[in-house]
Amino acid sequence: MGKATVQKALSAHSAIGLICCALLYLICVTGTAIVLYEEWQRFEQPGAPEMASIEPAAIQRGIENVLESEKAQATTTHLFVHLPTDALPRTTITTDTQAVHIDAAGGIVMPEENAWAKFVLALHYRLNLPAIVGMTLVGALGAMMVALAISGTMAHPRIFRDAFRLRARRKDDIATVDWHNRLAVWTLPFGIAIALTGAIIGLFYVSGFGMAATAYGGDVERVTEAIFGEEGEPDPAPAVTPDILPALNYMTANFEKVTPYYVILHDPQTAGQHIQIIGEHPQRRIFGEYYAFDGDGQFLSSAGLADGSIGQQLAASTYNLHFGNFGGLPVKIAYIVFGLALSAIAATGTFIWLNRRERRGLPAKRLRTLWWAVVIGTPLGLVTTLVGRLLYGNSAPFVSIFWATFILTAISVAAFRWRRVRLIK
């Protein structure tokens, strides 16, 4: 590899890193935390009823109880039932207006309260911005992360040869560079996989609009239907509550190796209502397959995520691969370790750039102070928001607490560095 190519790759690596370093670090830290999304929900609300499984008749009673409680309101357009899983052994029913936990008999016990876990997920998923803007930005950062991994590897021709050369005890900048390079090599396959799947998930809106414009006459809905199945024709005429027992019994009788974990009622209590059941397929990376039933519980079709086109199966596999939702606790622990490594890579990359500036006689004290605020303030913000959840409950202002923590951290770091400079003098 020529010296000019190496220099260009190094320049590209630095430029990309400086553009997205702060947001990329934020995404790495929050992504590491959200690996334990189900565990955080159980931690937030330890009193919610838990069960290894629930009878279909109890699910039906729970649906009827929830819909009965909403009689005075407008008819909900979608009702979701989360069935007990190993990671989250709870039954939760969500509508357009509420989310409640039910017990093993189908009775409503308490509202679902996991606002902190949802805040962290939204921070990772879309930076707490509107969905289209935030997810597109996060997707673009995922693409940049892929570019960083490739350009960083090209910029260091000896990076694999020196994979185990770690001069951690050195007091100069070499230790920081070695940690950055070694962690980057050790996590390279994981980093590329996470970045690529994150880019695919985040850029869904952009790619969806593009596909709609070129292949579906601008109809975005047809793009999602091609992957996840059709919605069906709405009919607002009143109807009785759909009976999901035939649908669940059909799943047991005909798809015995599939484990249902989610039930969706579309337009419940209308003539156009229909049912979807999402089932987990063992030994597959797909998040599940959609099985469609009519309002009477008669099987219609499956979406094809398990056995359809390669594109469908790949689209259905990105989510679990990105978040580590397979293989149980050992995989989650591995994702946490690798996530911490990616966070360290993002943090040390900017410190390396700042150190290089100082060696050239161009110190950037304010930038270094701000970067220290980013590195310390991001995980500290997650801690203070969690404390806010424990002290003030589900309605705590998480976004305000997080950014207030960040600002106070910046002020504290600046004051500490100013005092240290004075003491040296």
Side-chain angles (χ1 to χ4, degrees):
M1 189 180 297
K3 188 174 181 180
T5 303
V6 171
Q7 188 59 44
K8 287 180 181 179
L10 188 58
S11 299
H13 182 70
S14 299
I16 295 170
L18 289 173
I19 292 171
C20 62
C21 55
L23 291 178
L24 191 58
Y25 176 74
L26 173 63
I27 291 170
C28 289
V29 172
T30 53
T32 303
I34 215 61
V35 169
L36 297 175
Y37 182 59
E38 292 86 359
E39 287 77 7
W40 288 124
Q41 291 182 66
R42 298 177 74 180
F43 175 79
E44 276 193 79
Q45 202 171 16
E50 297 195 342
M51 61 213 74
S53 61
I54 184 170
E55 293 295 323
I59 303 171
Q60 181 68 29
R61 284 193 295 272
I63 291 171
E64 292 171 354
N65 289 335
V66 170
L67 291 175
E68 179 68 24
S69 72
E70 296 189 347
K71 260 191 172 180
Q73 306 172 30
T75 303
T76 189
T77 58
H78 291 86
L79 181 147
F80 306 90
V81 185
H82 173 275
L83 303 178
T85 62
D86 291 339
L88 190 61
R90 299 175 174 183
T91 305
T92 308
I93 299 179
T94 305
T95 69
D96 295 345
T97 58
Q98 63 175 325
V100 296
H101 296 296
I102 65 172
D103 59 25
I108 298 174
V109 178
M110 63 177 68
E112 180 190 46
E113 295 185 341
N114 56 3
W116 183 81
K118 289 182 177 178
F119 157 75
V120 180
L121 181 63
L123 189 58
H124 176 72
Y125 229 100
R126 53 183 176 84
L127 301 173
N128 292 127
L129 296 170
I132 294 178
V133 176
M135 288 185 67
T136 302
L137 178 57
V138 171
L141 288 168
M144 288 182 181
M145 190 173 171
V146 175
L148 280 169
I150 295 172
S151 62
T153 303
M154 292 177 63
H156 299 85
R158 294 170 53 92
I159 196 167
F160 292 106
R161 191 187 313 171
D162 296 338
F164 297 98
R165 187 184 184 192
L166 180 61
R167 293 162 288 185
R169 296 183 179 181
R170 291 196 46 159
K171 304 298 184 182
D172 54 14
D173 302 342
I174 297 298
T176 304
V177 174
D178 275 7
W179 274 115
H180 180 84
N181 291 342
R182 298 302 84 80
L183 289 174
V185 172
W186 298 337
T187 62
L188 186 60
F190 175 82
I192 291 179
I194 291 299
L196 190 58
T197 52
I200 293 171
I201 294 170
L203 295 174
F204 172 77
Y205 284 104
V206 175
S207 58
F209 281 118
M211 288 179 63
T214 57
Y216 294 94
D219 191 345
V220 179
E221 205 168 284
R222 287 181 62 193
V223 177
T224 58
E225 288 177 350
I227 300 173
F228 303 110
E230 297 183 4
E231 271 276 343
E233 291 295 327
D235 184 345
V240 298
T241 302
D243 187 357
I244 68 163
L245 269 67
L248 290 172
N249 290 335
Y250 185 91
M251 292 293 299
T252 301
N254 295 276
F255 301 102
E256 56 184 28
K257 292 184 179 181
V258 176
T259 304
Y261 69 93
Y262 221 71
V263 178
I264 307 173
L265 301 188
H266 297 264
D267 302 314
Q269 296 183 324
T270 72
Q273 64 190 357
H274 56 105
I275 304 165
Q276 279 184 317
I277 295 177
I278 305 179
E280 181 183 16
H281 284 238
Q283 309 303 320
R284 295 292 302 278
R285 293 288 76 83
I286 60 172
F287 69 83
E289 172 66 282
Y290 284 80
Y291 297 90
F293 298 82
D294 64 20
D296 296 322
Q298 300 300 307
F299 178 69
L300 299 175
S301 64
S302 58
L305 300 181
D307 56 6
S309 67
I310 295 297
Q312 279 183 292
Q313 295 185 53
L314 287 175
S317 301
T318 55
Y319 187 87
N320 280 353
L321 183 58
H322 185 77
F323 288 101
N325 294 335
F326 62 92
L329 188 59
V331 172
K332 288 193 173 189
I333 292 173
Y335 266 62
I336 291 170
V337 171
F338 286 133
L340 290 172
L342 290 180
S343 302
I345 292 166
T348 53
T350 301
F351 281 125
I352 290 170
W353 177 77
L354 291 169
N355 293 339
R356 191 181 297 128
R357 279 181 60 95
E358 286 191 1
R359 288 197 300 272
R360 294 202 307 262
L362 299 169
K365 295 181 180 179
R366 291 180 181 177
L367 283 177
R368 186 179 289 274
T369 299
L370 287 174
W371 187 244
W372 270 113
V374 170
V375 172
I376 299 172
T378 300
L380 186 60
L382 296 182
V383 172
T384 55
T385 50
L386 180 57
V387 171
R389 167 67 178 87
L390 298 176
L391 294 178
Y392 300 106
N394 207 52
S395 59
F398 299 110
V399 175
S400 299
I401 293 173
F402 181 84
W403 291 112
T405 300
F406 188 89
I407 293 170
L408 289 174
T409 302
I411 294 172
S412 300
V413 170
F416 173 79
R417 290 180 64 83
W418 177 77
R419 183 171 179 273
R420 185 180 178 188
V421 170
R422 288 195 62 189
L423 289 173
I424 293 173
K425 290 180 178 180

